[in-house]
Amino acid sequence: MLEVSGASGGYGPIQILHGLSLRVDKAELVALVGSNGAGKTTLLRSISGLQPLTSGDIRLDGEPIRHMPAHLRVVRGLAHVPEGRQVFGPLSVEDNLRLGAYLDRSGAVARKRDRVFDLFPALAEKRHAAAGGLSGGQQQMLAIGRALMSSPRVLMLDEPSMGLAPNLVDTILDIVGQLTRDGMAILLVEQNAVAALRIATRGYVIETGRITQADTAKALLGDERLRAAYLGE
Ligand code: ATP
C-alpha cells in the first residue's frame, strides 16, 4: 500500500535520510524504532509531503506521490498525525474533527465524526469543549480522530504515546491495533518501542537515517542486541 524506496533528504544542505526503504501493506501495523534524532520524524514528514526528498520514490497503491502536494496525498488516502498533538486549541472538539474532513465532498462528515466518537467515547463527552482545555491523552485522541476524518487507507502516527500515563498509552495503542484489524495500513513511530512492537506485525530499526534492521515484530522483540540498544533493557 505504502512503499518508500531509496529515500534521501534532510534540511537544506544537511542530509538526514540516506536511501531509506520500507513498505506497509494493507491491514499491517509496522513499527519504526530508533533513537532520538535517527530521522523518524523527518521520514514521516517527507512521506506526507511536508518536506521534499532529494531522491527516492514514494508510492501509494503503486502510484508515485513524491512530487504531489501534501493535501493531494491526503485525498489519495494518506494521513499523518504529527508529533506533539497539534490540535487547534481555541476550536471545539467537533470543529477540530470537521477540519480533518475539509477536503470531503461526500456529505459523510457526520457519519465519520460519529465513528470517531465510537472509537473515543471520551471525545464524545467533550464534543463542545475547546480542544486546548482537554487532557494530554484526549488531545492525542483528537489528533488521531482528526486524521481519521479523511478516511485514510494509510495512517502514520508520530509518537502517539509521548507524555501519556501508561493506561492511556494502552488505550491508544489498543485503538491503533483495532484500526489495523479493520484493514488500515499503519506506520507507527514510537519511543515506547516494546509497546509498539507488541502490537505490530513488522518493524524497522532506523539509525542515523538508514534502515539497519527489518524483521517481524516478534523477531525484533527477541533480538538481544536490539533490546539492549533500543528497548530500554
Ligand atoms: P526524535 O525522537 O527526537 O523526534 P527522530 O528520529 O524523529 O527523533 P528527527 O526529528 O527526524 O529524528 O531528526 C533527525 C535529525 O534532523 C536530528 O539530527 C535533528 O537535529 C535534525 N533536524 C530536525 N529538524 C531539523 C530542522 N528543521 N533543521 C535542521 N535539522 C533538523
Side-chain angles (χ1 to χ4, degrees):
M1 217 159 207
L2 173 70
E3 256 186 298
V4 177
S5 42
S8 295
Y11 304 93
I14 310 165
Q15 188 176 358
I16 304 291
L17 307 176
H18 299 269
L20 254 128
S21 299
L22 59 78
R23 61 160 230 282
V24 188
D25 293 328
K26 186 174 163 63
E28 230 197 354
L29 202 170
V30 170
L32 183 62
V33 175
S35 52
N36 284 349
K40 304 179 296 296
T41 296
T42 305
L43 178 63
L44 293 201
R45 289 175 53 82
S46 304
I47 296 173
S48 62
L50 298 174
Q51 192 170 311
L53 289 178
T54 49
S55 61
D57 194 25
I58 310 172
R59 284 172 189 263
L60 196 60
D61 286 330
E63 183 188 14
I65 60 164
R66 178 181 151 198
H67 298 288
M68 192 182 272
H71 71 279
L72 289 184
R73 300 185 201 200
V74 176
V75 173
R76 293 293 200 285
L78 178 69
H80 178 190
V81 181
E83 199 171 10
R85 342 173 171 123
Q86 294 163 19
V87 297
F88 298 101
L91 298 185
S92 71
V93 165
E94 280 205 341
D95 285 345
N96 268 272
L97 292 177
R98 207 167 287 131
L99 278 173
Y102 79 105
L103 294 166
D104 191 300
R105 303 273 177 273
S106 71
V109 176
R111 184 177 53 74
K112 289 184 196 171
R113 181 201 58 204
D114 290 345
R115 160 101 175 108
V116 171
F117 287 154
D118 285 345
L119 279 174
F120 299 108
L123 291 183
E125 286 168 27
K126 302 262 177 175
R127 61 202 299 158
H128 301 300
L134 300 181
S135 69
Q138 290 164 344
Q139 288 191 14
Q140 185 60 64
M141 292 175 195
L142 181 55
I144 297 173
R146 192 178 57 198
L148 295 177
M149 292 294 289
S150 65
S151 302
R153 285 171 296 126
V154 179
L155 179 66
M156 302 192 295
L157 298 159
D158 198 348
E159 309 238 357
S161 78
M162 192 171 358
L164 301 186
N167 63 330
L168 272 171
V169 174
D170 290 345
T171 305
I172 286 185
L173 293 184
D174 275 354
I175 288 165
V176 171
Q178 190 179 322
L179 294 172
T180 320
R181 287 190 291 280
D182 291 346
M184 207 174 277
I186 296 186
L187 181 59
L188 173 65
V189 164
E190 252 305 331
Q191 50 172 344
N192 198 336
V194 173
L197 286 169
R198 278 205 184 113
I199 59 164
T201 330
R202 292 186 297 113
Y204 291 90
V205 179
I206 175 173
E207 290 177 54
T208 55
R210 294 171 181 85
I211 299 291
T212 53
Q213 256 180 296
D215 214 328
T216 61
K218 197 167 171 226
L220 292 175
L221 273 173
D223 185 310
E224 295 289 332
R225 192 186 66 89
L226 193 74
R227 289 189 87 95
Y230 296 105
L231 308 184
E233 290 176 11

